[in-house]
Amino acid sequence: MKKIFYFFCALSLAALLAADAFADKEAEALLLLPDEETVSASAFSSDLENWGARILEIYSANVFRGYIPEEAESRLKEKYGAKIYRKRIDYMGEFAKFGEKGMLAAARWNNYMQENPDDAPLIIDMTAHRVGSKGKYLKLCWNNVPDAISYRLQTSHGKSFERVSFDAVTRKNCHLIMPAFWPDGVHYWRVAPSFKTVRKEKLSQGSFSEPSTFAVSKPAVKGKTSKLKALELPENTVAGRRLSWPSGNQKYFRLQVSDVKDFSVPAADVFSDTCSYRTSELQLKRGNNYYFRVMYSDGLSNSPWSVPAPFEYVNKNSLKSGKTYRTAK
């Protein structure tokens, strides 16, 4: 392991020295080595030099951007099992084998390949996810965009996003969804960053990422299933650490919060396998009034949305005081 580390440091220095000398972008490529032990072998370093190849940037222990002449490409493939990429990567299955570092390396290469890079996020995993019976949550992730204060995540049944089926805002670069709330089939998703403008409280949205996909496949059900009824929420609610609702003996819940009753601008759209949610994760302001609504799923079908109910978000000390609160009008 130490041997790899020292070689990696030496390779980093060599990459810095070589960057200016090899500026022919036509010969640049992404080099993927299946075995990270290869980089510490003295023969590998000698072969790179003898074949006229140079490492220009290191993405991970297995992935490098380099100056690789075409005559060196076949030799690297034959001797080291290397894979060479010279264009934008659309299918990232080979990089998924190396975990998150491998996926981020491929995303950075795609960003480098853009002639006019913009602020659109790069989806970390662009392979099709098949979910349903394998787990109740699906984690959608993308890279952090510099200066972004939040991200807008959308899903759709079509690649054009003419009809959006899910539209949420999150501050993190990953978001958990429950496939139980999506019908069977392939779904598209994309994400765009939001930036704070000079004018206070105003946000400017950046470009959307290229769409990625996930697929939902639920177990087949014999016979007719009963239609699920909407939950009834309490009319006057005060939320401290958690926002709660009646469970109705159900398994999965989707919660929306908004400061307008028609939910045209949801402040949060999240999922839970319990009948409550931590308010600290909902991006709300203490002392403000909001509305919330809930739908649930038994894993096969969904209920309608509940009738929106008002609540006030307060701190835990206020709850202990026994104070009477106003509700949203």
Side-chain angles (χ1 to χ4, degrees):
M1 191 68 185
K2 286 185 178 179
K3 189 177 180 182
I4 295 177
F5 174 76
Y6 289 130
F7 182 83
F8 206 76
C9 292
L11 201 58
S12 300
L13 178 59
L16 291 174
L17 296 175
D20 292 334
F22 296 87
D24 182 8
K25 194 164 184 175
E26 293 298 320
E28 286 187 31
L30 190 69
L31 173 65
L32 174 63
L33 296 172
D35 186 2
E36 68 177 23
E37 296 284 343
T38 299
V39 301
S40 63
S42 57
F44 177 69
S45 180
S46 298
D47 285 340
L48 285 179
E49 185 176 356
N50 295 335
W51 297 340
R54 295 290 186 275
I55 299 300
L56 303 178
E57 187 175 2
I58 300 168
Y59 293 128
S60 75
N62 296 89
V63 190
F64 309 90
R65 178 174 67 87
Y67 175 87
I68 303 176
E70 290 187 7
E71 56 270 22
E73 181 173 336
S74 58
R75 294 179 178 180
L76 286 166
K77 289 179 178 179
E78 182 178 354
K79 186 170 182 178
Y80 297 105
K83 294 183 180 293
I84 309 295
Y85 300 85
R86 298 188 183 275
K87 296 181 180 180
R88 182 179 173 86
I89 301 166
D90 293 321
Y91 175 72
M92 297 190 179
E94 289 294 330
F95 298 87
K97 300 174 184 177
F98 305 104
E100 184 175 346
K101 286 186 177 180
M103 299 306 302
L104 285 172
R108 287 171 183 166
W109 167 257
N110 280 350
N111 189 44
Y112 174 75
M113 289 301 294
Q114 295 184 61
E115 292 184 4
N116 298 302
D118 51 26
D119 291 321
L122 297 167
I123 290 175
I124 291 177
D125 189 353
M126 294 182 68
T127 59
H129 298 275
R130 181 161 295 280
V131 292
S133 60
K134 293 184 179 180
K136 56 190 175 186
Y137 286 104
L138 175 64
K139 192 175 186 179
L140 305 179
C141 295
W142 52 92
N143 73 308
N144 279 309
V145 176
D147 301 323
I149 63 171
S150 63
Y151 299 92
R152 185 177 183 184
L153 172 66
Q154 292 183 337
T155 72
S156 177
H157 299 295
K159 195 173 183 179
S160 64
F161 284 80
E162 292 181 0
R163 295 179 60 188
V164 175
S165 55
F166 179 75
D167 194 344
V169 175
T170 177
R171 292 182 182 177
K172 301 178 181 179
N173 67 317
C174 285
H175 195 72
L176 291 175
I177 66 170
M178 278 188 174
F181 290 92
W182 275 259
D184 284 359
V186 176
H187 302 269
Y188 293 86
W189 68 280
R190 65 182 185 178
V191 63
S194 293
F195 306 93
K196 183 70 72 71
T197 60
V198 176
R199 184 174 295 179
K200 189 176 181 181
E201 301 299 330
K202 294 292 183 179
L203 296 180
S204 173
Q205 183 173 294
S207 302
F208 274 105
S209 65
E210 290 294 323
S212 187
T213 60
F214 65 90
V216 176
S217 180
K218 299 174 185 175
V221 179
K222 295 182 180 180
K224 295 183 178 179
T225 58
S226 57
K227 189 174 181 180
L228 303 181
K229 297 181 180 179
L231 286 175
E232 293 186 11
L233 302 182
E235 293 185 1
N236 298 305
T237 299
V238 176
R241 287 185 174 180
R242 304 190 74 90
L243 177 62
S244 302
W245 56 88
S247 70
N249 296 319
Q250 299 303 327
K251 297 169 64 175
Y252 311 123
F253 300 93
R254 178 178 175 183
L255 165 69
Q256 280 191 346
V257 177
S258 179
D259 55 8
V260 290
K261 197 172 184 178
D262 63 2
F263 285 81
S264 57
V265 186
D269 197 333
V270 293
F271 302 86
S272 176
D273 54 4
T274 66
C275 56
S276 67
Y277 205 89
R278 289 182 63 88
T279 47
S280 60
E281 299 178 10
L282 295 175
Q283 304 174 35
L284 308 179
K285 294 182 179 179
R286 294 189 183 276
N288 284 12
N289 294 316
Y290 297 93
Y291 293 92
F292 76 110
R293 62 181 182 178
V294 179
M295 73 161 58
Y296 63 89
S297 171
D298 58 8
L300 301 173
S301 57
N302 307 331
S303 74
W305 284 110
S306 64
V307 174
F311 75 96
E312 185 177 7
Y313 180 35
V314 300
N315 59 49
K316 60 181 179 179
N317 293 329
S318 298
L319 285 173
K320 293 179 180 178
S321 68
K323 179 182 176 182
T324 302
Y325 299 95
R326 67 186 185 281
T327 57
K329 302 297 184 184

